[in-house]
Amino acid sequence: MSDKGYANPQLLVSPEALHARLDDALLCIVDTRPTHEYAAGHIPGAIHLDLYGISLNNTGPEAFEAFMWMFGYLMGSRGIGSDRTIVFYENDSGIRAARGFWVCEYLGHEDVHVLDGGLNAWTEAGYPVTTVCPVPDRAAFKAEPVSERHIGVEEVRDALGREDFVALDTRGDDEYYARSVRAARGGSIPGAVHIEYVHNLDEKGAFRPAGELREVYERAGVTPEQTIACY
């Protein structure tokens, strides 16, 4: 990974670094794209797990706890073990891979990463794809939730208006402005800062350097000293 100036550069993996570890028995590569895209060609050895199609319409504490337990069970059933280095990817550095990354981080698995630039960067680097679909053995995934990596609706509501808190809306313009309604009501959280996630990426779909991202967020009033709740 070239130096982009990140505080935690190890969270991203370059195509070159991933290719060098393909024969590592403790490496678990997870393709988060839709099934038909995975079947058409994927990184050799990658298993398929599309977490984006799984959602929750009840964000109460008990429902959320059960929802995350289900994710932990699902990880193990797909051969994603707690002893593995996990790398999520999709076509670019998008929201599917990010969801897989966050789920693992919340469940306490620290050795989790995202392929910077996704499959597009992998193929651009000249690395092969395959249509061979491995059948993973069940693995042991030990879930130890890290509660501070999640914020509930009540906490967000109580923090609104505080200078040290930002609700960061990462959805597209249509959802933010309620032209497209995918929730019970359209619109956004009052006072939320809107920066769609695509502005984090460069023209090839890889993450932009830290300096560029810092400028984008500071211009919008989002700084490292604040508590930032992304949604």
Side-chain angles (χ1 to χ4, degrees), residues 135-159:
V135 180
D137 295 326
R138 181 168 182 80
F141 188 93
K142 185 178 181 181
E144 297 179 335
V146 183
S147 60
E148 58 265 29
R149 291 175 178 163
H150 169 262
I151 187 167
V153 63
E154 294 83 4
E155 296 171 276
V156 171
R157 178 198 60 206
D158 294 343

Side-chain angles (χ1 to χ4, degrees), residues 20-227:
R21 289 193 61 179
L22 279 188
D23 294 329
D24 187 343
L26 293 180
L27 177 67
C28 185
I29 306 172
V30 186
D31 189 315
T32 63
R33 300 175 301 154
T35 304
H36 69 279
E37 293 188 30
Y38 171 78
H42 51 267
I43 294 174
I47 62 173
H48 180 249
L49 182 58
D50 179 7
L51 294 174
Y52 194 65
I54 305 172
S55 60
L56 180 70
N57 61 5
N58 180 349
T59 57
E62 290 185 0
F64 178 77
E65 182 179 349
F67 187 61
M68 298 311 296
W69 179 92
M70 178 190 70
F71 273 131
Y73 179 86
L74 186 60
M75 294 287 181
S77 71
R78 295 298 297 155
I80 304 171
S82 295
D83 61 338
R84 305 293 183 89
T85 295
I86 304 172
V87 178
F88 288 96
Y89 78 89
E90 57 179 295
N91 288 320
D92 57 11
S93 296
I95 53 180
R96 292 174 177 269
R99 174 173 288 196
F101 173 86
W102 181 83
V103 166
C104 283
E105 281 240 308
Y106 175 79
L107 293 177
H109 187 83
E110 300 295 338
D111 194 3
V112 57
H113 316 267
V114 170
L115 176 60
D116 193 23
L119 188 64
N120 293 339
W122 175 268
T123 55
E124 184 174 307
Y127 298 131
V129 296
T130 181
T131 57
V132 176
C133 301
V135 180
D137 295 326
R138 181 168 182 80
F141 188 93
K142 185 178 181 181
E144 297 179 335
V146 183
S147 60
E148 58 265 29
R149 291 175 178 163
H150 169 262
I151 187 167
V153 63
E154 294 83 4
E155 296 171 276
V156 171
R157 178 198 60 206
D158 294 343
L160 292 179
R162 286 188 355 215
E163 291 186 359
D164 64 345
F165 177 83
V166 174
L168 181 60
D169 192 323
T170 65
R171 302 172 301 162
D173 288 348
D174 285 345
E175 286 187 88
Y176 179 75
Y177 291 110
R179 294 191 293 260
S180 172
V181 179
R182 299 174 59 189
R185 291 177 292 173
S188 63
I189 294 174
V193 173
H194 179 227
I195 303 176
E196 187 177 356
Y197 82 93
V198 295
H199 297 298
N200 296 326
L201 310 181
D202 64 20
E203 66 279 359
K204 293 185 177 180
F207 280 100
R208 295 165 62 182
E212 294 182 12
L213 293 174
R214 187 177 298 109
E215 182 179 347
V216 169
Y217 284 89
E218 288 183 347
R219 189 166 57 241
V222 181
T223 63
E225 295 78 24
Q226 297 166 310
T227 296

